[in-house]
Amino acid sequence: MTIKQLTRSAIVCISLYSTIAASAEPKLTNHVNPLLGTATLWDPADLGYERKIKQRTWGAEVFPGATLPNAMVQLTPVTMWRAGAGYQYEDTTILGFAHSAMGHWNLIDLPILPVTGNVSPDNYASSYSHDNESARPGYYQVFLDRYGINAELTSTLRAGYHRYTFNKGDIKRLLVNIAHNQNPIRDWDIKKIGDNAFAGRQGNGFYYYALSNLPIDSIAILHSDKKENRGPRGNHQTPVALIDFKDNYSSEPLEIKIGISRVSVENARENMEKEMLDKNFDQVASEADDIWEKHLSKIKVEGSTERNRNLLYTTLYRASLMPRLESDINGDFRDNRGHIVSGADFNYYSNPAFWDVYRNQLILLGMLRPDVARDVIKSTIDRGEKSDGYIPSYFHGDHAPTFIIGSYKRGITDFDLPRAYSLALKSATVPGKNGRPYLDEYLKNGYIADENLPDCPFWDEHKGGVTKTLEYAYDDYAVAQIAKELGDTDNYNTLMAHSKNYGNVFDRSTGFFRGRIEGGEWLSPYNPYYPYFQQMYREANGWNSLFYAPHDPEGIVALYPSHKAVENKLDSLFTEPWCGLEVHNMTGFIGNYCHGNQPGHNIPYTYYFIGKQEKSQAVLDSIMNRFYDMGPEKLAYAGMDDAGEMSAWYVLNAIGLYTYSPADPEYLISVPLFDQTTFTLGDRPFIIQKTGNGKRITGITYDGSKLDGYFIDHDRLQKGKTLVITTE
């Protein structure tokens, strides 16, 4: 029997075991499919337009490999350089197994690949089949057709464990892509240490120490015959390292344990030794499964369909990966100035993708892992104080204050709020290099003017004045809440006044937020159907920028002449067809509403504020039914997951709670997919029960008392009582 046949038999046995185990005592990890979100949409019916350009439409850009919640290591297959997370389901070859991933075209550190026979830096990728691929939380497996090798991966927080089973008699070799992650790397190092280890670095910020179960014979550096174009930095060759082993005809699998660190090789070694040195592969994989089971068990559901349960736990898994741990096991980390910090009273985490995840994922993180949320905030403070005193941002906008005050008001208070406030206040009031772009203009005029470019191509980057004005207004509200908490009345009043600035870019004649040019005139001609990458709007059009003021929905509604006018606008949004323009970062449409990008994610809830909650629910149900298992393989999201935002949106809406204004410690109640949800918040579970099968909510009680309106505050949920949502 060949290794390939053995692999197929093993997969069948694993599947059979899982089925038997599920019938006896169902495990929540059995509901998780780490491959969900790895496929790309190609069909016009899914995309919302006909494909004409060659560039691949953005998918969820997620990785299927082995990892733990908020871990330093994401051990994952790489099928394509410069793909979002390195892996695309439609690809047919594997380039290696990397040790980090995110989904934003970065990382993919230290890809390695088991090989046999002759290989070169220009010819080493192996074909594979999805028939011989499997993934579950903390474990990934694939059969490499070219080499006849069964590859298995598992991991701890800071170390990856590789197990490679070769055909009997094949010479075992390991190819290390020392000079490549998502981008070619100029500065690298690799060397043999003792009999069984090799170590080195990639660039100046990634260090590794690898221990092999087989003694190492030699490490050769092979240089490519090709040169990679690095644009203005010129061309350079991309070498690889090829490791040969002694005792090469041993029948045992090749096993590699690799610790990583952002600080040093010594720390990488300590990370590996303390987390997995005395453990075998199956033990590490089993412990990873147990960790995920405990995490997923914080939300338990009853009723609904198998599909909905699978989607809930897969999206919960996906929403639990970022931010990424960057502290070593001894507490060391490298700060944003490049200095090594020791002795901190917190674990250091990567900068959150604030523009995306402030809406929901960071609040969900605090509900599930308040200790991690606290350390993310402490990391944010540390990062800001070492960056000219401005609160860290990410990509666009300035949403760290929303996370900070939203977490504080939800009971995560063991951090220095005045220090965070100092950073947030400076960002909101003092223009500067590391502060908000165009803040001087915003403070002077109450809005950011757009350039008079009515024929701007959608992909061009400009000021994004409308989106910035709307988001700064909400951020001002968040900073104002910190000011209020600390008794700073003057700045509270000033910032609350600024929080109304969203009205300065509202054009009553069209009913849209619209760009204004220098001097105050509306940008003309104006087409709300045309999307932009960053002219007026950030990755949106006028329709997907409607109704954004999460802190003041009543004020937004009041901009229109009547509730009926708001209803008509919303109805038009969800029925007016997309313009047909192919925009590869916008997919998944209901009319003009695009769920595949985040800017419009607040819009469906606007119906609540005009007495039409059931219309919101119809849209929410359509989104959950259509946009999370798309495509022929049912493995595609409507758009990019963006560090877990899309996934967290599904989790929260599926259980009937949403962070409409994440800066406020309350949740908007919707109709859950499940008859009952038990959510363990801290050390106490609360219960959500649904009665009836309709979309219209006719009553809400908590602990037997009727709620007025559709919001419930966090403090009530913490009491561990039962929320009953009655529908018809």
Side-chain angles (χ1 to χ4, degrees):
M1 181 179 289
T2 67
I3 289 292
K4 189 168 184 177
Q5 290 170 327
L6 281 169
T7 301
R8 287 175 171 169
S9 299
I11 293 171
V12 170
C13 289
I14 290 170
S15 176
L16 179 60
Y17 173 79
S18 298
T19 301
I20 294 171
S23 63
E25 186 178 348
K27 294 195 69 174
L28 300 182
T29 52
N30 292 340
H31 291 291
V32 176
N33 181 4
L35 287 162
L36 180 64
T38 62
T40 301
L41 294 176
W42 301 96
D43 190 273
D46 291 331
L47 291 168
Y49 43 73
E50 293 281 347
R51 282 187 56 83
K52 297 175 184 176
I53 61 176
K54 292 182 179 180
Q55 190 170 3
R56 180 180 52 81
T57 304
W58 290 0
E61 310 301 333
V62 301
F63 63 90
T67 190
L68 296 180
N70 303 104
M72 181 183 292
V73 165
Q74 298 89 37
L75 189 52
T76 189
V78 179
T79 64
M80 180 181 180
W81 305 122
R82 295 298 294 164
Y87 178 98
Q88 300 294 329
Y89 190 81
E90 64 271 16
D91 292 343
T92 58
T93 60
I94 286 178
L95 299 163
F97 303 106
H99 294 76
S100 63
M102 181 178 177
H104 283 78
W105 291 271
N106 56 7
L107 303 178
I108 310 300
D109 294 303
L110 196 69
I112 70 174
L113 187 72
V115 299
T116 188
N118 294 322
V119 294
S120 77
D122 305 317
N123 183 9
Y124 58 83
S126 173
S127 60
Y128 75 105
S129 167
H130 295 302
D131 292 337
N132 291 322
E133 180 185 38
S134 62
R136 63 177 186 266
Y139 175 85
Y140 174 84
Q141 171 274 328
V142 69
F143 188 83
L144 302 176
D145 293 331
R146 173 174 174 174
Y147 303 111
I149 298 171
N150 186 48
E152 297 174 277
L153 313 174
T154 189
S155 66
T156 58
L157 283 174
R158 302 172 181 88
Y161 200 144
H162 306 244
R163 181 165 69 184
Y164 301 130
T165 303
F166 289 68
N167 280 323
K168 186 176 181 180
D170 282 352
I171 295 177
K172 301 176 181 68
R173 313 181 85 184
L174 191 69
L175 185 143
V176 183
N177 229 310
I178 48 175
H180 219 316
N181 53 21
Q182 285 285 43
N183 297 285
I185 293 171
R186 288 183 179 276
D187 188 19
W188 53 267
D189 179 54
I190 187 171
K191 59 184 176 182
K192 180 184 173 186
I193 298 179
D195 291 331
N196 290 72
F198 64 93
R201 59 180 167 79
Q202 283 194 317
N204 293 317
F206 181 87
Y207 300 86
Y208 61 93
Y209 179 90
L211 182 67
S212 168
N213 64 325
L214 298 180
I216 295 172
D217 181 47
S218 63
I219 301 177
I221 306 300
L222 308 181
H223 290 277
S224 171
D225 293 330
K226 300 178 181 178
K227 291 185 178 182
E228 293 211 26
N229 191 330
R230 302 200 72 194
R233 297 184 65 182
N235 297 335
H236 88 301
Q237 292 178 321
T238 304
V240 299
L242 189 62
I243 301 177
D244 282 300
F245 298 91
K246 300 175 183 177
D247 303 332
N248 222 317
Y249 294 99
S250 167
S251 60
E252 64 180 310
L254 172 63
E255 295 188 356
I256 310 289
K257 299 176 179 180
I258 302 183
I260 70 171
S261 169
R262 301 288 169 180
V263 173
S264 66
V265 167
E266 292 75 18
N267 279 17
R269 178 174 183 165
E270 185 179 10
N271 288 341
M272 182 275 294
E273 289 181 343
K274 288 189 175 180
E275 291 189 352
M276 65 169 57
L277 180 62
D278 297 326
K279 298 176 182 179
N280 62 38
F281 185 93
D282 293 332
Q283 183 179 357
V284 173
S286 177
E287 290 176 356
D289 186 81
D290 290 343
I291 289 169
W292 276 112
E293 183 69 19
K294 181 178 179 181
H295 179 74
L296 298 172
S297 295
K298 293 179 181 179
I299 299 179
K300 292 186 176 181
V301 295
E302 300 174 22
S304 196
T305 64
E306 185 73 5
R307 171 192 178 269
N308 288 342
R309 287 189 291 275
N310 291 344
L311 284 181
L312 173 71
Y313 288 110
T314 300
T315 54
L316 178 56
Y317 165 86
R318 189 62 63 194
S320 303
L321 303 179
M322 299 291 167
R324 195 177 57 255
L325 178 66
E326 293 190 349
S327 287
D328 292 325
I329 201 164
N330 64 5
D332 291 354
F333 64 86
R334 189 178 297 273
D335 66 18
N336 59 322
R337 290 178 175 175
H339 299 156
I340 297 172
V341 177
S342 301
D345 65 349
F346 63 96
N347 281 320
Y348 196 70
Y349 284 87
S350 61
N351 196 34
F354 282 118
W355 189 62
D356 310 294
V357 298
Y358 82 95
R359 295 171 171 86
N360 49 41
Q361 188 263 351
L362 287 174
I363 300 302
L364 181 62
L365 170 68
M367 297 172 77
L368 297 169
R369 306 191 75 195
D371 57 329
V372 174
R374 174 205 62 208
D375 285 356
V376 173
I377 292 171
K378 288 187 174 184
S379 302
T380 299
I381 294 170
D382 184 89
R383 199 172 280 114
E385 290 177 340
K386 295 173 180 177
S387 183
D388 296 338
Y390 290 99
I391 201 78
S393 61
Y394 184 97
F395 183 63
H396 190 273
D398 172 31
H399 302 301
T402 294
F403 169 47
I404 290 168
I405 190 59
S407 299
Y408 190 88
K409 288 191 169 186
R410 288 173 172 85
I412 302 173
T413 58
D414 48 345
F415 65 91
D416 195 328
L417 186 63
R419 286 172 61 195
Y421 177 55
S422 177
L423 301 171
L425 183 63
K426 182 176 181 179
S427 293
T429 59
V430 181
K433 179 181 177 182
N434 290 318
R436 296 180 184 176
Y438 312 109
L439 179 63
D440 51 349
E441 187 178 331
Y442 174 82
L443 294 174
K444 177 183 176 182
N445 300 324
Y447 65 91
I448 296 168
D450 280 292
E451 298 157 277
N452 192 12
L453 300 168
D455 297 322
C456 175
F458 73 86
W459 192 250
D460 277 10
E461 289 220 37
H462 295 280
K463 292 170 71 174
V466 174
T467 297
K468 281 188 173 68
T469 300
L470 298 177
E471 294 184 356
Y472 288 1
Y474 184 59
D475 295 330
D476 287 338
Y477 171 80
V479 182
Q481 304 316 298
I482 308 178
K484 182 178 181 180
E485 194 71 33
L486 296 175
D488 185 354
T489 303
D490 289 343
N491 278 312
Y492 169 77
N493 291 333
T494 298
L495 290 162
M496 285 301 292
H498 291 176
S499 77
K500 301 290 186 180
N501 282 340
Y502 65 83
N504 295 333
V505 288
F506 184 74
D507 175 17
R508 293 180 184 271
S509 69
T510 62
F512 288 97
F513 291 119
R514 179 177 175 182
R516 299 177 72 172
I517 61 175
E518 193 67 39
E521 294 183 11
W522 297 113
L523 194 152
S524 184
Y526 176 69
N527 180 1
Y529 294 87
Y530 193 83
Y532 295 96
F533 191 69
Q534 193 169 217
Q535 161 67 350
M536 287 196 286
Y537 313 111
R538 181 85 220 192
E539 300 182 32
N541 62 5
W543 286 105
N544 284 281
S545 303
L546 285 169
F547 304 111
Y548 183 85
H551 57 299
D552 191 17
E554 293 81 7
I556 283 285
V557 168
L559 294 174
Y560 292 82
S562 66
H563 281 192
K564 186 62 179 176
V566 173
E567 183 178 6
N568 290 341
K569 197 74 171 181
L570 285 164
D571 290 348
S572 296
L573 163 67
F574 294 113
T575 55
E576 289 281 339
W578 175 250
C579 65
L581 183 64
E582 181 180 2
V583 183
H584 63 262
N585 63 359
M586 296 183 73
T587 54
F589 295 94
I590 302 175
N592 252 269
Y593 171 78
C594 174
H595 194 67
N597 213 325
Q598 286 82 3
H601 280 188
N602 68 295
I603 298 175
Y605 308 97
T606 309
Y607 282 115
Y608 273 81
F609 306 105
I610 58 170
K612 299 288 183 179
Q613 168 272 323
E614 67 277 9
K615 283 195 167 185
S616 280
Q617 194 61 50
V619 176
L620 299 179
D621 287 345
S622 180
I623 292 168
M624 289 187 283
N625 187 53
R626 293 173 55 187
F627 293 143
Y628 283 85
D629 54 354
M630 302 178 73
E633 303 90 2
K634 299 295 183 181
L635 291 176
Y637 277 22
M640 191 172 174
D641 192 37
D642 278 318
E645 190 277 343
M646 287 275 288
S647 293
W649 188 99
Y650 185 94
V651 171
L652 290 164
N653 282 281
I655 66 172
L657 301 175
Y658 191 67
T659 52
Y660 182 77
S661 175
D664 295 305
E666 60 184 13
Y667 308 90
L668 184 62
I669 297 169
S670 60
V671 180
L673 296 179
F674 305 97
D675 297 332
Q676 179 166 304
T677 300
T678 302
F679 194 125
T680 300
L681 194 63
D683 59 356
R684 185 177 298 175
F686 69 86
I687 294 172
I688 304 170
Q689 290 180 346
K690 178 183 69 171
T691 63
N693 294 307
K695 298 185 186 301
R696 189 167 73 89
I697 296 175
T698 58
I700 304 173
T701 63
Y702 186 71
D703 192 23
S705 298
K706 181 180 178 181
L707 291 186
D708 294 326
Y710 295 101
F711 285 93
I712 186 166
D713 60 78
H714 187 84
D715 285 344
R716 287 194 183 185
L717 296 180
Q718 277 191 315
K719 293 177 181 178
K721 306 299 182 179
T722 299
L723 174 69
V724 179
I725 305 166
T726 303
T727 70
E728 66 176 21

